[in-house]
Amino acid sequence: MSEHDTQLTATGNNFIRDIIAAQIAHGEHTGDVVTRFPPEPNGFLHIGHAQSICVNFGLADYFDGFCRLRFDDTNPEKEEQRYIDQIQEDVHWLGFEWEGSIRFSSDYFETLYEYALHLIENGDAYVDELSSEQARAYRGDWNTPGTNSPYRSRTPAENLERFEMMRAGQFGEGQAALRAKIDMAAGNMNLRDPIIYRVRHATHHQTGDRWCIYPSYDFAHGQSDAIEGVTHSICTLEFADHRPLYDWFIDHLPVPARPVQYEFGRLNISFTVTSKRRLRRLIDEGFVNGWDDPRMPTLSGIRRRGYTPAAIRDFCEAVGVTRTDGMVDVAQLEHAVRDDLNKNAPRAMCVMDPLKIVLTNFAAGEVETITARGHPDRDDLPPRQLPLTREIVIEHADFRESANKKYKRLVLGKKVRLRNAYVIQADDVVKNDAGEIIEVHCRYDPDTLGELPADGVKPKGVIHWVSASHSARATVREYDRLFATDKPGRDTEDFVEDLNPNALTIHHNCHIEPGLAPAVPETRVQFERIGYFVADRYDHTPEAPVFNQTVALRDSWAGKTA
RNA sequence: UGGGGCGUAGCCAAGCGGUAAGGCAUCGGGUUUUGAUCCCGUGUACCGCAGGUUCGAAUCCUGCCGCCCCAGCCA
């Protein structure tokens, strides 16, 4: 993991880590701790998966074992190569390196088939020819025991023959399925003769047309774990009642190892959604521009938004691993990025809503270069050169003709400090016919660079600015939370009704420091007094800079009035 | 109504019989050429409820309540 900046810490809570530590301490576990991250390649990874990735890779790293990346590809109709590629990119981006080459459940299809044969020979599985509708009726419900299928009593020889026929393509989809013979009256529905193989006349992205029968998740997953020597098979809580089945297969098959499943509570975050079905809908219905739209909670989306791998890892560690089905405040995620970016992002100035300021006592045509720190408390980040000219721009919101003492910005007749530069005083306001302020005339105090004014009175406020002429223009995409409510869909018919209409505001013609335009894509920066931004991974160019807002600076002034 | 899981401050979350850590959020205050950062302070948590055991229980026992997951030939 050296090529990445991964620094795994074990500061958070993780009950699985505690369990493994105890197993090792008590001699119940010897040898390597082997885990795996097992995504199905049917969509992009999202922030919820980050938790699973951190848990699996983190545990392997913590115990000096190893973790592999295995695609759980047993449903060819929903899976695509592009997702396989994207998932690998995302896991790497997060900072993890899997052991060996990538694996696929489909790598084990032949072995899995033999395992199925083993079950049939032992009378533990049978080919059922009930239609799915009939099967559902036979299954019963929570209050009614199921009924045995009339095909349940077929002999092993008969089942063997039928199963061969399934593999040979002599059954259409839904006409036959191999089921484990367990208990149609089990309280746990997963044990009511679960499907082991079903017919799918579909081309598989890895195995092509070699197979027309595919193993179910329950059959493929645990056995793949065993084949790979996984010791701790970690998944989320909704699979808890699959564990008896997971163990049943392991108990009834000649597998080379005995993995054990552990479940933890899925990560849910307020003001967002993390279900592939919902994310796909946002894309399909055009609410966002694809899986990697910066508003999306996908890893590629938040990457484009400017989030850092370290921030996401810190967030997952801070949230902890438990069996509680909770909802973490998105503010906790935002805190994690601010914390990282505050320490590492260079500072710069950008004026998003320009108001022209004329420094009446500054010579026209003159350009004074001011050197500013790259970061308030880091000397290793290079200083930057800021051209100061007679005409500059500041934010409209940073000027008022009059205001009370709580307003710490530029007020007519009063002084304010230009960030990194001089103290100025506003003398005149120029308005258009509509009465709107279009220009402010100020005088600057040439003795205040790094110094207090002669009267010794420190200006109340500091505002950011950029030269009107010696600056670059940029498009700045200001993002807000994708949803306006903490639990999308909770109080509405359809979760899309909770979408935040202001999740994206595009600002054209923003003025940025000239040194910022050449930034390479994905350069992260803090626009002082505004927030953290990143040069868009795809759209940013030196000629037409595009910055995406990662997260705004904390603003204890917001909501107050002056 | 069957099976499984979970309930500690607004949100995460320690605690595992000895009298409630920490983080986020909130609200104050200090420092500050970012109303940022940093620093300090700030919460009667009836430990879901009710009984019981005990000198003593969030921690043990019993009952109840609430929330989540399961009736795909999805994962």
Side-chain angles (χ1 to χ4, degrees):
Chain A
M1 262 174 253
S2 55
E3 53 194 316
H4 299 287
D5 58 349
T6 310
Q7 284 186 343
L8 293 162
T9 49
T11 56
N13 309 303
N14 183 336
F15 77 97
I16 300 176
R17 181 165 55 213
D18 298 341
I19 288 174
I20 299 176
Q23 291 172 336
I24 292 173
H26 301 157
E28 293 158 17
H29 177 82
T30 52
D32 288 329
V33 168
V34 182
T35 59
R36 98 273 90 120
F37 172 57
E40 181 188 14
N42 66 347
F44 278 39
L45 259 26
H46 54 67
I47 184 69
H49 292 111
Q51 177 77 327
S52 178
I53 294 170
C54 288
V55 168
N56 281 294
F57 283 93
L59 247 19
D61 183 76
Y62 184 82
F63 291 105
D64 200 28
F66 50 90
C67 177
R68 301 203 188 88
L69 173 60
R70 182 179 77 232
F71 291 96
D72 236 332
D73 57 346
T74 55
N75 190 359
E77 290 164 320
K78 291 185 177 176
E79 301 157 5
E80 290 178 35
Q81 183 62 42
R82 64 179 291 231
Y83 297 132
I84 292 172
D85 298 336
Q86 185 63 44
I87 287 169
Q88 292 181 69
E89 178 181 317
D90 289 343
V91 172
H92 270 145
W93 177 75
L94 242 200
F96 298 105
E97 199 71 59
W98 49 89
E99 194 270 340
S101 55
I102 56 172
R103 312 300 171 94
F104 293 87
S105 290
S106 56
D107 290 342
Y108 317 126
F109 278 178
E110 198 60 53
T111 303
L112 259 12
Y113 180 81
E114 284 162 19
Y115 282 162
L117 256 24
H118 181 94
L119 252 21
I120 292 172
E121 287 160 0
N122 287 340
D124 290 325
Y126 62 98
V127 172
D128 195 6
E129 287 175 54
L130 244 30
S131 67
S132 55
E133 297 71 42
Q134 293 174 309
R136 191 190 317 135
Y138 273 78
R139 186 156 38 234
D141 58 38
W142 294 324
N143 311 305
T144 318
T147 306
N148 286 168
S149 165
Y151 303 98
R152 199 176 200 260
S153 54
R154 293 218 265 218
T155 64
E158 215 174 339
N159 284 314
L160 239 26
E161 182 194 335
R162 292 281 160 169
F163 191 45
E164 299 286 0
M165 285 172 63
M166 281 175 65
R167 181 178 189 173
Q170 294 175 47
F171 283 106
E173 294 188 8
Q175 290 181 349
L178 183 69
R179 301 176 67 175
K181 192 188 289 184
I182 305 182
D183 179 8
M184 288 304 289
N188 182 341
M189 299 299 281
N190 292 114
L191 266 20
R192 317 253 268 223
D193 289 11
I195 297 291
I196 297 177
Y197 266 93
R198 74 279 205 193
V199 176
R200 281 288 176 281
H201 290 283
T203 299
H204 187 282
H205 49 93
Q206 298 303 308
T207 60
D209 296 316
R210 278 210 292 287
W211 298 86
C212 62
I213 55 173
Y214 292 92
S216 62
Y217 160 82
D218 286 303
F219 190 62
H221 196 86
Q223 279 46 257
S224 294
D225 283 340
I227 291 168
E228 295 182 346
V230 167
T231 56
H232 300 264
S233 180
I234 299 161
C235 61
T236 41
L237 238 34
E238 65 268 29
F239 290 101
D241 52 14
H242 285 243
R243 182 155 23 99
L245 179 55
Y246 186 102
D247 292 337
W248 189 90
F249 282 129
I250 295 294
D251 287 339
H252 292 256
L253 291 169
V255 291
R258 193 163 217 305
V260 177
Q261 175 179 299
Y262 297 85
E263 314 89 19
F264 68 92
R266 183 186 279 287
L267 173 61
N268 296 301
I269 299 177
S270 62
F271 294 94
T272 192
V273 296
T274 47
S275 98
K276 280 181 191 166
R277 197 200 133 266
R278 286 181 163 188
L279 294 178
R280 195 181 294 281
R281 190 153 161 238
L282 293 176
I283 296 166
D284 293 344
E285 296 182 20
F287 292 113
V288 295
N289 304 314
W291 288 101
D292 64 354
D293 185 295
R295 288 166 291 187
M296 291 283 270
T298 49
L299 292 182
S300 56
I302 58 184
R303 169 181 183 172
R304 216 172 149 193
R305 180 75 170 265
Y307 274 73
T308 62
I312 295 169
R313 279 187 251 115
D314 288 348
F315 168 72
C316 289
E317 189 67 25
V319 164
V321 181
T322 67
R323 287 178 72 87
T324 313
D325 221 333
M327 168 83 71
V328 176
D329 191 336
V330 71
Q332 182 118 21
L333 213 208
E334 295 172 341
H335 168 265
V337 228
R338 287 198 187 98
D339 197 37
D340 182 9
L341 263 16
N342 172 54
K343 291 172 188 145
N344 303 309
R347 309 286 123 118
M349 293 194 285
C350 168
V351 173
M352 307 230 288
D353 181 20
L355 167 61
K356 187 204 279 186
I357 299 292
V358 178
L359 302 177
T360 56
N361 58 335
F362 195 99
E366 184 188 325
V367 178
E368 177 180 343
T369 299
I370 293 173
T371 299
R373 291 180 66 82
H375 186 106
D377 32 50
R378 279 182 57 173
D379 295 322
D380 57 318
L381 294 178
R384 53 208 157 99
Q385 308 302 315
L386 307 175
L388 175 63
T389 53
R390 178 181 167 88
E391 294 190 351
I392 63 173
V393 289
I394 65 170
E395 301 287 353
H396 254 107
D398 287 341
F399 173 75
R400 283 191 191 175
E401 289 183 86
S402 63
N404 65 30
K405 54 281 142 201
K406 287 182 180 174
Y407 184 78
K408 299 173 25 175
R409 310 179 194 183
L410 185 61
V411 178
L412 190 58
K414 305 279 179 50
K415 293 178 180 176
V416 77
R417 159 79 66 180
L418 288 182
R419 174 73 174 158
N420 299 305
Y422 303 95
V423 171
I424 63 172
Q425 178 171 120
D427 297 324
D428 286 299
V429 179
V430 179
K431 298 180 181 176
N432 62 13
D433 294 339
E436 299 162 337
I437 298 170
I438 56 171
E439 191 174 309
V440 179
H441 289 184
C442 301
R443 269 171 303 152
Y444 85 108
D445 182 341
D447 297 322
T448 54
L449 191 60
E451 304 290 339
L452 249 36
D455 59 12
V457 180
K458 179 192 251 183
K460 285 290 291 179
V462 179
I463 62 175
H464 57 97
W465 59 279
V466 174
S467 164
S469 54
H470 290 59
S471 60
R473 300 305 167 86
T475 293
V476 174
R477 300 197 278 227
E478 179 184 2
Y479 292 102
D480 195 357
R481 296 165 179 175
L482 221 205
F483 290 90
T485 58
D486 59 347
K487 293 169 184 148
R490 170 60 66 92
D491 302 312
T492 46
E493 279 288 300
D494 189 348
F495 80 102
V496 299
E497 292 170 38
D498 289 325
L499 279 163
N500 174 6
N502 304 313
L504 169 60
T505 305
I506 300 176
H507 301 263
H508 296 288
N509 288 309
C510 297
H511 287 64
I512 56 174
E513 292 180 20
L516 228 42
V520 299
E522 295 205 279
T523 295
R524 298 183 180 86
V525 63
Q526 181 199 89
F527 286 163
E528 294 188 291
R529 300 215 306 136
I530 302 178
Y532 296 97
F533 294 78
V534 63
D536 189 83
R537 189 179 173 194
Y538 301 116
D539 304 330
H540 174 90
T541 64
E543 297 71 37
V546 178
F547 287 89
N548 298 333
Q549 182 186 68
T550 306
V551 64
L553 245 35
R554 274 188 78 226
D555 185 4
S556 59
W557 172 245
K560 299 183 180 177
T561 52

